Structures are given as C-alpha cells and as structure tokens.
Amino acid sequence: MSGSMVKDQSVLGLSETLLFRHYVELRNGKIFFDMTSAPGEDAIDGMRIDPDGNLYVSGPLGLWIISATGEHLGTIKMPMHPHNLAWGDDDHRTLYLTARSGIYRMRTNIPGTGVPK
C-alpha cells in the first residue's frame, strides 16, 4: 500500500496494488478516483502530491496526474512502468521516478510538496 497526504492533512490518498486500483478519501470514505477500468496490467504504486493538491501516480502505462477534484488531467507514458517517485532538487520542481531497470527525471512547472521555506 502506498499513500500521500494533502498539505492540510485532511485527506490521505491510498493505493492498494494487490486488490484495487483506486484512491480513497478518508474524510468521508468515498472513492476519490477509480482506475479499475484503466488499460494495461500495471498496478498503482507510488504517488506524490503538489501544493495544488494534484496527485502524481505511477499507474497503468505511466505517470497519471489527477486533480484535487478527482479529474484525470493526463497520463505521461513512460518507457517502463514507474514504481515510485519523489520530488527533488533544491526547488523541488524535479520529479524522479524509479522503474525496474532505470531512473527517470522530469522537470515540472510546479514544485512538489515538502519545499524548504
């Protein structure tokens, strides 16, 4: 199971890779975003969040970006399925993604959470 907390800590996103492909909003227990019908066999694995509440999720076919309201903003297709991800560099605008046999680096227009003040 993987998880990521929104910045005000009111919502925890969880992914269960063995049984489900969805995220649960614990505030009211409802499914936030359902990936069960997504193409491919890759399971959901790592996830991170940005200051606007967008989720970056390693899912089927690549990196899924899901808005804070549960809208699928897009999928960045990757050469290999990413398993985990982390914000990095001094400005936290680089997303590092690990796959079975490689590490990918992607610059973003918005920093990830955990930016030093």
Side-chain angles (χ1 to χ4, degrees), residues 36-117:
T36 55
S37 63
E41 297 180 12
D42 296 328
I44 294 170
D45 202 344
M47 81 171 97
R48 290 294 177 261
I49 196 163
D50 70 23
D52 292 337
N54 298 315
L55 287 174
Y56 298 74
V57 183
S58 64
L61 304 177
L63 178 67
W64 288 55
I65 303 170
I66 303 163
S67 76
T69 60
E71 178 186 354
H72 179 218
L73 300 176
T75 301
I76 300 171
K77 293 187 179 179
M78 308 288 295
M80 298 192 72
H81 174 65
H83 293 284
N84 209 342
L85 47 145
W87 297 104
D89 294 347
D90 291 339
D91 61 1
H92 281 235
R93 289 180 185 265
T94 301
L95 193 58
Y96 289 90
L97 301 99
T98 60
R100 179 168 281 173
S101 63
I103 298 174
Y104 302 98
R105 179 178 66 181
M106 184 181 319
R107 286 293 288 174
T108 61
N109 292 329
I110 188 167
T113 55
V115 176
K117 295 182 179 182

